[in-house]
Amino acid sequence: MVDHLNRFHSAAKGSLPVDIRVKILGAGPTGTLLALALARLGNSVTLCDPLTVEELPARSRAYALTHSSRRLLQSLDLWASLIPHLAPFTRLRLDDQELNRHTYFEVDDLSSQNQLHGAVGWILDHRPLMELLIDRLQTSPKVLLNLGRFDDHHLDGHDLVVAADGPRSLTRQAWGINTWNHPYQNGCLTAKVLLRGADPLMAYELFRAEGPLAVLPMGGEVFQMVWSGPLRRCQERAGLSPSCFLDHLAAVLPDGLQPDVLLDRPAAFPLQLAFAFRLQRGRGVLVGESGHRCHPVGGQGLNLCWRDVSTLMNLVKNVDEGKLPVEKLPQVYARKRIFDLVLVGLFTDLIVRFFSSRNILLLMVRLPLMFLLARLSLLRQLLLKAMTDGPITVIRLLPE
Ligand SMILES: Cc1cc2nc3c(=O)[nH]c(=O)nc-3n(C[C@H](O)[C@H](O)[C@H](O)COP(=O)(O)OP(=O)(O)OC[C@H]3O[C@@H](n4cnc5c(N)ncnc54)[C@H](O)[C@@H]3O)c2cc1C
């Protein structure tokens, strides 16, 4: 303890660089990116996961990345290495299938700094992302990888312990932090499909009465479906033969889009809106889905997790520079993250309720809204800014 305080006092006087000892439990996309970010700042990081190096990249999943994630990856020198694996989309088509109205969000609707990057967003497969992150971690002298076995969640011997162990976080439970959960009646099905007739530079968010269906370009004619609907129906669809599944999908896609080949096994999973009652306990903090979960509409999930990483990285920088005592970091982190998390959670919930309904009153509000969205670029700009940079940036000038 005395040694611990001496290190920070000497550092605060400028005689030593601070080397914060961090333990991260969970090597999903959030934990691995955080480990890399903190090690690059010169801190000693231990990263633990029960999965092995071979198992970690093995999920069949693709993520929609927004500009907030692009900025973080650029600041960590990862963006250039990911470019060959990124599928950019320059248009996002939003369809209200009940009203038979649609509108497009385009690069011109982005803020001027984001426009320079020539895409509304990017789709990235889990495997190349995790392979790159693990490769960088393995060559970092500041990182100790403790993979393939369970580690304990105790706070001893570390200045900061991070729970990044996902929605069913055992660490969160061991720290006695409860969550508020709102399980959706809807679930979600993901599948990769070869789609004929689709623009490879266009992503689709199709609002249907049973829930939203996102069609995300992954390069060429390959597209990832993120298809929400009643959980039972999602599970039944996941169990269909490939040809039956493609027939069901063809029936709900807009005219001109023809699903040809199913490229992986569809997976159905339940959806929920969840927040941990607190994001810190003592020297421990929750990041990523151990602290929050939201509906996948608008592809917000992983981007929100990575904004946790950005905030924590900036606070650790402040500790390294002697501007923030390390003991205060967990509380400041929790305070700084709360608005973004609550706003995105409520915003995605509102969008799903508003667009996944045949209620006549809601239809009467949606009709003029779709009309205005198609005509008012200011409205599209505000919505896109909230989705791509985070809702807080709508009221604050965006830092590049
Ligand atoms: C089935 C499914 C499909 C999804 N599909 C999509 C999609 O198509 N697109 C999209 O953008 N998002 C998708 N998501 C959401 C997305 O996967 C999450 O936003 C993202 O994975 C969150 O990352 P994370 O690192 O916080 O948590 P996770 O990815 O859940 O990672 C948690 C890590 O912690 C490890 N762990 C567990 N217990 C412990 C422990 N006790 N100690 C140490 N480590 C532990 C796990 O092995 C895992 O590696 C999907 C989620 C699910 C569940």
Side-chain angles (χ1 to χ4, degrees), residues 234-308:
C234 293
Q235 287 162 340
E236 282 163 12
R237 283 171 180 152
L240 292 172
S241 68
S243 59
C244 276
F245 177 84
L246 294 171
D247 287 346
H248 277 69
L249 182 59
V252 300
L253 288 174
D255 289 344
L257 301 194
Q258 184 55 45
D260 247 3
V261 184
L262 183 59
L263 299 170
D264 66 355
R265 237 178 100 188
F269 56 98
L271 293 176
Q272 59 176 181
L273 180 63
F275 298 108
F277 283 129
R278 48 191 300 172
L279 291 177
Q280 59 87 213
R281 168 136 284 162
R283 267 176 273 152
V285 293
L286 306 181
V287 302
E289 293 211 339
S290 66
H292 49 84
R293 259 192 122 177
C294 64
H295 195 285
V297 67
Q300 294 294 300
L302 187 62
N303 300 287
L304 197 57
C305 296
W306 282 1
R307 291 210 289 276
D308 294 350

Side-chain angles (χ1 to χ4, degrees), residues 24-32 48-51 56 59-65 124 126 130 146 149-153 163-171 188-191 216 224-226 267-271 287-294 296 299-306 308:
I24 302 176
L25 294 147
T30 307
T32 38
C48 318
D49 201 291
L51 299 183
L56 282 170
R59 288 178 188 164
S60 179
R61 204 173 282 183
Y63 306 106
L65 301 189
L124 175 61
H126 179 77
M130 290 304 291
N146 196 356
R149 57 179 174 271
F150 272 98
D151 206 312
D152 62 56
H153 48 261
D165 49 351
R168 283 192 287 270
S169 172
L170 291 179
T171 314
C188 190
L189 176 148
T190 54
L216 308 172
Q224 160 109 5
M225 308 291 137
V226 184
F269 56 98
L271 293 176
V287 302
E289 293 211 339
S290 66
H292 49 84
R293 259 192 122 177
C294 64
Q300 294 294 300
L302 187 62
N303 300 287
L304 197 57
C305 296
W306 282 1
D308 294 350

Side-chain angles (χ1 to χ4, degrees), residues 24-182:
I24 302 176
L25 294 147
T30 307
T32 38
L33 194 64
L34 181 66
L36 207 58
L38 300 190
R40 272 174 62 91
L41 292 174
N43 304 289
S44 305
V45 180
T46 306
L47 178 64
C48 318
D49 201 291
L51 299 183
T52 61
V53 173
E54 292 75 30
E55 288 167 328
L56 282 170
R59 288 178 188 164
S60 179
R61 204 173 282 183
Y63 306 106
L65 301 189
T66 64
H67 282 269
S68 68
S69 294
R70 187 260 306 157
R71 272 191 296 278
L72 177 62
L73 294 168
Q74 277 180 326
S75 74
L76 297 173
D77 282 336
L78 293 164
W79 188 250
S81 304
L82 285 173
I83 282 178
H85 307 287
L86 291 166
F89 54 94
T90 55
R91 295 179 104 192
L92 169 65
R93 175 173 156 160
L94 192 148
D95 264 45
D96 187 326
Q97 290 199 336
E98 288 301 309
L99 294 172
N100 201 13
R101 293 277 186 284
H102 63 263
T103 190
Y104 295 96
F105 292 82
E106 310 201 32
V107 173
D108 287 350
D109 297 319
L110 291 165
S111 66
S112 50
Q113 291 128 319
N114 289 340
Q115 279 182 27
L116 297 175
H117 299 275
V120 171
W122 298 263
I123 309 301
L124 175 61
D125 206 26
H126 179 77
R127 179 174 283 282
L129 168 69
M130 290 304 291
E131 283 177 349
L132 176 68
L133 295 178
I134 292 168
D135 185 54
R136 293 281 173 96
L137 287 171
Q138 282 175 327
T139 53
S140 167
K142 300 297 286 184
V143 177
L144 176 67
L145 286 177
N146 196 356
L147 302 177
R149 57 179 174 271
F150 272 98
D151 206 312
D152 62 56
H153 48 261
H154 294 302
L155 303 169
D156 306 343
H158 293 90
D159 305 309
L160 182 66
V161 178
V162 179
D165 49 351
R168 283 192 287 270
S169 172
L170 291 179
T171 314
R172 184 187 63 222
Q173 291 170 33
W175 291 348
I177 301 178
N178 292 325
T179 53
W180 175 85
N181 283 296
H182 168 67

Side-chain angles (χ1 to χ4, degrees), residues 303-323:
N303 300 287
L304 197 57
C305 296
W306 282 1
R307 291 210 289 276
D308 294 350
V309 173
S310 266
T311 302
L312 204 52
M313 187 179 92
N314 288 331
L315 291 175
V316 167
K317 236 186 249 175
N318 287 347
V319 174
D320 287 345
E321 291 165 6
K323 292 181 191 158

